[in-house]
Amino acid sequence: MLSTLRNAWKIPDLRKRILFTLLMLVIFRLGANIPVPFIDKSVIASMFTDKGAGVLDFLDLMAGGAFKDFTIFALNIYPYITASIIMQLLTIAIPKLEEIARQDDGRKKIAQYTRYGTVVLALIQAIGYSIGFFNKALISKDFLSVSVVVITLTAGTAFLMWLGEQITDKGIGNGISLIIFTGIISRLPGGIARIYGLLKAGEVNIIEVLVFLVFALFIIVGVVAIQQGQRKIPVQYAKRVVGRKMYGGQSSHIPLKVLMAGVIPVIFAQSILAFPQTLAFFFRGGFSAWVSKYLSIAGNPGVWIYSILNVLLIIFFTYFYTAVQFNPVEYANNLKQYGGFIPGIRPGKPTSEYLNRVLSKITLVGAISLALIASIPTLIFSFTNLNIRFGGTALLIVVGVALETMKQIEAQMLMRHYKGFLK
């Protein structure tokens, strides 16, 4: 891997892309330290000491500390993720949007609608935090002060959305995923120091630390295995004569990945599950107590319900995102057009049905594996004293995003006849 990175650094355009990505991520980390005006940070910090502040700690972890410090990037990129989920679901449900998506510039229009939705959701969330849960932290509660806080938070999310798109277009990797990745990684040194402090104070024992390390290794190996796993469908191209030359006749294969969706389903599932817990902070009383008991990791039986919902949502979004990325009918038509066929399968509809069956089976394996890797550590940590925020989901996202980014660098390297580290 280090050899591949060294070779990539020697290529001017790749070096430019890597430097651009790093620069954008540095800007993200700088912005994550700029506080929102008219906010008393000590009041917000005290809220994180509450026993039921698990969702706050999770949101803070994903935001790289920006949520707890209530900086301009406190809302992080989650309004954009939520808007993306809504827009993709609407594209399937509404024929008009589906028709727009199929047009030549359809992706640009859908992306534009997603941006508008992001700003609206960020504005609603900013108002909720300002006049709702974090109302006690406001130094001044006049209209101008509240407006400045709301506009600052909304603008921060809009800027992060633009930053992520710039990384995707001009850098390396998926910009939105890399922003979340950077936020999690930035908390790693603090997490290590916290574990060391707990170990030194005797609040946790070495066995619990070893259990965490074993599960961390399990997650890394599992993510790499399912990300690299694929089913190769053999394809044969018919021979055809054009003039005096013969074309076709060669054999190839269709590489169907076990997990085409990557770690996107995990990010989507966490966004959905965090919503009712976030909503509970705005409505104190019976609703908040019910959510804490039944839909929170800290609750009992909430930890089990949360884990089951997490598994189901990850499986759903894995199938959903795979269906968005791979269309068996379109692929079968392209094969037929270029004289290709799967041995033993007739071209056209039988080919698309065969591809759909195979894809459904391997996607099920990938979805269940991904769901288990994301959920098992949550259950383990909930029954131990090892209170680690850098848990299974965060580690899964970090490994998955790093692997996807490395594979994109690999693709760029292969175009320039370099041999990469992913065999």
Side-chain angles (χ1 to χ4, degrees), residues 306-325:
Y306 182 96
S307 299
I308 292 171
L309 289 176
N310 192 37
V311 169
L312 294 177
L313 284 172
I314 289 175
I315 293 174
F316 168 76
F317 281 119
T318 301
Y319 271 98
F320 174 75
Y321 210 74
T322 300
V324 171
Q325 286 188 309

Side-chain angles (χ1 to χ4, degrees), residues 39-49 68-69 137:
I39 291 293
D40 187 349
K41 290 170 57 178
S42 62
V43 176
I44 294 179
S46 66
M47 295 179 179
F48 281 76
T49 61
K68 186 176 182 179
D69 295 333

Side-chain angles (χ1 to χ4, degrees), residues 21 28-29 49 76 147 150 153 198-199 267 299 347 362 398 417:
T21 301
F28 162 59
R29 290 310 304 156
T49 61
N76 203 10
S147 298
V150 170
L153 291 173
L198 293 173
L199 190 62
I267 298 174
I362 63 175
V398 166
H417 310 290

Side-chain angles (χ1 to χ4, degrees), residues 281-315:
F281 290 118
F282 304 131
F283 301 96
R284 294 293 185 177
F287 177 74
S288 178
W290 184 85
V291 170
S292 297
K293 182 177 180 180
Y294 292 102
L295 294 177
S296 171
I297 299 176
N300 187 17
V303 62
W304 297 102
I305 298 174
Y306 182 96
S307 299
I308 292 171
L309 289 176
N310 192 37
V311 169
L312 294 177
L313 284 172
I314 289 175
I315 293 174

Side-chain angles (χ1 to χ4, degrees), residues 53-368:
V55 67
L56 296 181
D57 287 309
F58 177 78
L59 293 173
D60 185 57
L61 172 65
M62 294 301 175
F67 190 69
K68 186 176 182 179
D69 295 333
F70 215 70
T71 66
I72 61 174
F73 294 154
L75 298 185
N76 203 10
I77 201 67
Y78 282 106
Y80 178 82
I81 295 174
T82 306
S84 298
I85 297 171
I86 294 172
M87 188 52 62
Q88 289 180 9
L89 291 172
L90 289 177
T91 301
I92 295 175
I94 302 176
K96 184 64 177 179
L97 283 176
E98 187 177 3
E99 183 181 340
I100 292 174
R102 290 179 179 177
Q103 296 174 0
D104 294 337
D105 59 342
R107 287 180 177 271
K108 291 183 179 180
K109 289 183 179 179
I110 296 297
Q112 191 69 24
Y113 297 154
T114 305
R115 294 188 194 104
Y116 294 148
T118 300
V119 173
V120 172
L121 289 174
L123 183 63
I124 294 171
Q125 196 168 343
I127 293 173
Y129 281 132
S130 300
I131 65 176
F133 182 60
F134 293 122
N135 182 260
K136 294 180 181 178
L138 285 170
I139 296 173
S140 177
K141 298 183 180 180
D142 60 90
F143 178 78
L144 180 61
S145 300
V146 175
S147 298
V148 169
V149 173
V150 170
I151 292 172
T152 302
L153 291 173
T154 306
T157 295
F159 180 78
L160 273 186
M161 175 180 62
W162 175 84
L163 207 67
E165 291 180 348
Q166 292 301 304
I167 293 174
T168 303
D169 293 339
K170 301 177 183 178
I172 291 289
N174 182 288
I176 304 302
S177 298
L178 280 173
I179 287 174
I180 298 174
F181 169 88
T182 306
I184 297 173
I185 285 294
S186 67
R187 305 306 303 277
L188 182 58
I192 294 174
R194 183 179 182 182
I195 294 173
Y196 178 75
L198 293 173
L199 190 62
K200 193 174 180 179
E203 295 184 24
V204 297
N205 56 56
I206 191 66
I207 301 299
E208 290 177 329
V209 176
L210 290 176
V211 167
F212 170 73
L213 294 177
V214 168
F215 270 95
L217 181 62
F218 166 74
I219 290 170
I220 293 171
V221 173
V223 173
V224 173
I226 60 176
Q227 288 274 34
Q228 292 299 103
Q230 61 181 15
R231 169 78 180 272
K232 295 182 178 180
I233 306 295
V235 175
Q236 184 71 36
Y237 287 91
K239 294 181 180 180
R240 53 195 178 94
V241 178
V242 180
R244 295 184 177 182
K245 294 184 179 181
M246 179 176 291
Y247 296 92
Q250 74 272 21
S251 298
S252 183
H253 67 270
I254 304 171
L256 293 181
K257 293 182 64 177
V258 174
L259 195 63
M260 288 189 182
V263 294
I264 296 296
V266 178
I267 298 174
F268 280 9
Q270 289 299 318
S271 299
I272 296 295
L273 289 173
F275 179 74
Q277 297 181 57
T278 305
L279 197 64
F281 290 118
F282 304 131
F283 301 96
R284 294 293 185 177
F287 177 74
S288 178
W290 184 85
V291 170
S292 297
K293 182 177 180 180
Y294 292 102
L295 294 177
S296 171
I297 299 176
N300 187 17
V303 62
W304 297 102
I305 298 174
Y306 182 96
S307 299
I308 292 171
L309 289 176
N310 192 37
V311 169
L312 294 177
L313 284 172
I314 289 175
I315 293 174
F316 168 76
F317 281 119
T318 301
Y319 271 98
F320 174 75
Y321 210 74
T322 300
V324 171
Q325 286 188 309
F326 187 86
N327 188 336
V329 176
E330 185 178 341
Y331 211 99
N333 291 336
N334 289 337
L335 275 180
K336 184 178 180 180
Q337 181 180 351
Y338 291 101
F341 62 93
I342 299 172
I345 307 295
R346 295 182 63 183
K349 186 177 180 181
T351 297
S352 66
E353 291 175 348
Y354 174 77
L355 289 175
N356 191 49
R357 285 198 305 271
V358 173
L359 188 63
S360 297
K361 291 177 182 177
I362 63 175
T363 300
L364 179 63
V365 173
I368 293 176

